[in-house]
Amino acid sequence: MAKRIVLVTGSLAEPRVKRIAEELNGDDMEPVVANVGVKVAALMTADIVERRLKLPAGADRVIMPGRFRGDLDRLSDFFGTRFERGPEEIADLPEYLGHAKQQVDLSEYDVTIFAEIIDATLMTPAQIVERARMMRADGADIIDLGCLPDSPFPHLEESIAALHSDGFKVSVDSFNAEELSRATRAGADYLLSLSEKTIGIADEGPAIPVLVSAGAADAASLDRAIDIMIAKGKPFYADPILDPIHYGFAASIARYVDLRSRRPDVPILMGIGNLTELTDADTTGINALLMGLCSELHITAVLAVQVSPHCRTAIKEFDRARREYFAARKANALPQGFGMGLMALRDRRGFASTPEEIKTLAAQIRDANYRIEVAEDGVHIYNRNGHHVSDDPFELFPHLDTRSDAGHAFYLGVETARAEIAYRLGKRYAQDEPLSFGVVAETKGAADEAHLLNFKEAGSTFSKRAKAPEPKESKEP
């Protein structure tokens, strides 16, 4: 039997809610729209709802508007039916109702992130620990100390000890055999990178080696190193090396595929920096694709770096990607609908309303407060005095009356700027809320909580406490 779900709304939003209710109506769900008799449902109080709401018989759930501030437990007890707060945007109702019973679990993953400090030789142990803590906060599991050519690392042992004391696992990345030998004797957990020529270092201490070929793209050499470690019965990772675009990128992808097909049980690591650092493109998309390869090929470790300014959130992005993709693979699904952490520049549904819906709503407004919305035709701003649309906020300015309130003028400038950004990028805009840029530029809390969850206090949007200081009285004669 279909669940009867009551969608509570006001008269201004009722047409849009009814349209969505018709789309959702089916064998498993019977949405019923209930107009409480106020214009703006978000301004309702619990008292108003108790007096005016007439629930249809057999209601299983009652969905209140996302900006409703009233006591849901009180209403649930009063009506004897579960009340809950829905999404802030009407356009999000279908997704909210479709996923309300099962939240996405992003706590699991099966890819380990090595985060490299490439200039560790130039830093003190204290500075290394400070940098490592920031990387750990972004999602790094293992801190990799990068050794620079012709740059002595006399404090290597001290740095490893300092990181261990702070709870880190440590890897050391060097092509200098002496530094790798010192690292494993000092208790490093991993060594990057050993070939068949230097694999004897793996016997000098506890460090788990990451194996590479002795020469460029020498798969046979990597295979021999793998066989040596298997014969020793010791753990390892194999890294066929991901090359930059135009310098063997496609062939290097083929090496990963080939290694996995020939050796289905060998643990593999992929260094992603040759793509993220050496490509002028946003790293969210690059990391999403690379995580796709890792997921399909069961690559269980990556080495990430954050050197170039455009890569400053690469670790955080890959941490999010490994969680979303694990959840998707576990559900035997595409990596869609498992969070929006990697949607930095776009949203799947950027515009909450159509131009026609905004026009209809604007025609019913009878107060002077400005409403701002974004649709496919530009930025809309309207109140009882008019409705104006443009893709340029400067063209909206002549239609705004802000002469008596500098604070409100500032507020409208901020909001129309946000709205223009949302329009240009195709992102979701909600007045009074920050834009969401996923994990790339978190605004409030975690990526899935980029919009404020606390309800606004009633009254003016722009707080009067933000006014300019009063001028001091001059003491000069």
Side-chain angles (χ1 to χ4, degrees), residues 415-428:
E415 285 300 317
T416 53
R418 282 178 176 166
E420 182 191 13
I421 292 171
Y423 167 70
R424 300 292 180 191
L425 296 179
K427 296 193 67 64
R428 179 64 60 85

Side-chain angles (χ1 to χ4, degrees), residues 25-38:
N25 192 46
D27 295 336
D28 60 342
M29 184 186 304
E30 182 190 354
V32 179
V33 178
N35 187 340
V36 177
V38 297

Side-chain angles (χ1 to χ4, degrees), residues 5-28:
I5 300 175
V6 180
L7 306 177
V8 179
T9 187
S11 58
L12 293 184
E14 184 179 17
R16 281 188 281 178
V17 178
K18 279 187 174 181
R19 175 173 58 81
I20 290 177
E22 292 173 359
E23 295 172 355
L24 294 174
N25 192 46
D27 295 336
D28 60 342

Side-chain angles (χ1 to χ4, degrees), residues 193-212:
S193 305
L194 297 184
S195 69
E196 62 175 339
K197 296 179 180 179
T198 56
I199 202 167
I201 298 174
D203 296 325
E204 298 180 15
I208 297 172
V210 175
L211 307 177
V212 297

Side-chain angles (χ1 to χ4, degrees), residues 267-440:
I268 301 176
L269 176 144
M270 175 185 284
I272 63 176
N274 277 346
L275 214 60
T276 55
E277 292 281 339
L278 303 180
T279 307
D280 281 347
D282 293 319
T283 52
T284 47
I286 294 175
N287 280 324
L289 287 174
L290 293 179
M291 184 57 225
L293 287 171
C294 292
S295 187
E296 288 197 1
L297 299 178
H298 195 56
I299 294 171
T300 54
V302 297
L303 173 65
V305 292
Q306 295 185 159
V307 180
S308 302
H310 79 286
C311 296
R312 63 182 180 271
T313 57
I315 295 171
K316 188 183 296 186
E317 292 165 20
F318 211 94
D319 174 54
R320 181 63 180 219
R322 64 177 174 173
R323 296 170 187 273
E324 291 190 10
Y325 282 51
F326 183 92
R329 191 175 69 238
K330 188 176 181 180
N332 193 29
L334 294 168
Q336 292 182 327
F338 291 89
M340 302 289 285
L342 300 179
M343 297 289 284
L345 297 182
R346 301 283 189 273
D347 284 338
R348 289 189 60 80
R349 286 183 292 276
F351 304 131
S353 305
T354 66
E356 292 74 19
E357 289 171 338
I358 298 174
K359 181 179 180 181
T360 300
L361 176 61
Q364 302 178 59
I365 296 299
R366 296 294 180 266
D367 59 69
N369 296 323
Y370 287 107
R371 279 82 167 176
I372 303 172
E373 294 193 60
V374 175
E376 61 186 16
D377 59 342
V379 177
H380 293 244
I381 188 164
Y382 55 91
N383 65 2
R384 67 186 179 192
N385 299 320
H387 175 200
H388 307 281
V389 188
S390 177
D391 60 0
D392 182 356
F394 284 96
E395 294 182 359
L396 299 174
F397 177 74
H399 305 290
L400 308 180
D401 182 7
T402 59
R403 292 168 294 179
S404 61
D405 191 339
H408 195 234
F410 174 80
Y411 162 76
L412 290 176
V414 170
E415 285 300 317
T416 53
R418 282 178 176 166
E420 182 191 13
I421 292 171
Y423 167 70
R424 300 292 180 191
L425 296 179
K427 296 193 67 64
R428 179 64 60 85
Y429 169 82
Q431 191 171 351
D432 300 335
E433 302 289 354
L435 298 179
S436 173
F437 295 97
V439 298
V440 172

